[in-house]
Amino acid sequence: MKNMLAAFLAVFLCLPAYAQVGADEAWFAGPAVHTVTNCDDSGPGSLRDTLVGTSGKRHVEFSVSCDLTLQSSITANVGDVWVRGETAPAPGFTIRGFPLEMKRGAMKISHLRFRTGTNPAWPAGQDSISVTGATPSGSDCTGQRDMSNIMLDHVSASWSQDEVIQFWGCNIANITVSNSIIAEGLNNAGHPSGEHSMGLYIGPGVQDALVYRNLFVSNKYRNPVIHGGATAAVVNNVVHNSGDSAI
């Protein structure tokens, strides 16, 4: 009983240390709604069109479920958006082939599956989800951030050639990765560095990241790794079958 009480107090007392870290979920309330109505790579009603062809603060919802094999990366760099995979009918929505990239604004992604995979015709070294800010100049990460409030919640991501999920750049702040499965980064899939099974990478300059209640499975490295210069709280995650190193 004494040990259980000590453990409870340890968790309770550390709550203030990370309660204000990560994304602000209230940011995503109340915008316009755009609906994914088909499983096409592009064009009206496609996921790409709702993320790239529209602007402003918005929710993306789904009236279809499918396995979408992208023909190129989707780069979301306009406005603030919540991609609400939980609105898709069963069995849900899966993205394959190329990554989802975020380069500007705020974004929340929930209840989506990412199964990137590999193909000789595709570029080498792809992530499943990539959040990329400004490239650091040496060790200098000064300057205004233009990516804040990035939330990945109840996401299942796997089968990447590089990191399964990557945050990289100087202008990224207030991110949350929670309640998600980050699994099976591919070890021999054509990455230029050779064997390269990686889970979650929080790169230099990323500030106020929260990695909370996730399951890391069968990634050889980076479960997760926090680069020097980044700030993050890593709380209550499970790492299974980590290969050479867990963190």
Side-chain angles (χ1 to χ4, degrees), residues 126 128 157-165 182-189 195-199 217-221 223:
Q126 296 191 115
S128 291
S158 60
W159 305 348
S160 61
Q161 300 168 30
D162 201 347
E163 280 79 23
V164 177
I165 300 174
I182 301 162
E184 298 181 352
L186 299 177
N187 197 40
N188 291 287
E195 293 187 358
H196 203 79
S197 172
M198 308 291 179
V217 180
S218 299
N219 305 298
K220 198 170 183 179
Y221 304 102
N223 293 287

Side-chain angles (χ1 to χ4, degrees), residues 25-69:
E25 190 165 4
W27 179 268
F28 301 98
V33 174
H34 298 261
T35 303
V36 176
T37 59
N38 61 57
C39 297
D40 297 340
D41 175 79
S42 61
S46 67
L47 176 62
R48 188 185 302 274
D49 186 60
T50 64
L51 293 177
V52 180
T54 58
S55 61
K57 198 171 183 180
R58 61 204 185 279
H59 284 185
V60 172
E61 300 185 353
F62 296 80
S63 65
V64 294
S65 63
C66 66
D67 280 13
L68 169 61
T69 300

Side-chain angles (χ1 to χ4, degrees), residues 20-138:
Q20 300 303 317
V21 175
D24 178 8
E25 190 165 4
W27 179 268
F28 301 98
V33 174
H34 298 261
T35 303
V36 176
T37 59
N38 61 57
C39 297
D40 297 340
D41 175 79
S42 61
S46 67
L47 176 62
R48 188 185 302 274
D49 186 60
T50 64
L51 293 177
V52 180
T54 58
S55 61
K57 198 171 183 180
R58 61 204 185 279
H59 284 185
V60 172
E61 300 185 353
F62 296 80
S63 65
V64 294
S65 63
C66 66
D67 280 13
L68 169 61
T69 300
L70 297 175
Q71 302 305 306
S72 61
S73 301
I74 294 179
T75 301
N77 57 10
V78 179
D80 305 317
V81 60
W82 179 1
V83 183
R84 302 184 65 225
E86 61 268 34
T87 61
F93 204 90
T94 304
I95 298 172
R96 301 182 184 272
F98 280 81
L100 175 60
E101 299 177 341
M102 294 168 254
K103 294 192 174 182
R104 185 173 293 276
M107 176 174 269
K108 179 178 179 179
I109 299 174
S110 57
H111 295 272
L112 284 183
R113 293 185 295 265
F114 296 82
R115 302 287 184 267
T116 309
T118 184
N119 185 306
W122 297 342
Q126 296 191 115
D127 305 316
S128 291
I129 302 173
S130 179
V131 180
T132 307
T135 302
S137 176

Side-chain angles (χ1 to χ4, degrees), residues 16 59 123 131 146 189 211-212 224-225 234:
H59 284 185
V131 180
D146 60 8
V211 182
Y212 176 59
V225 69
V234 181

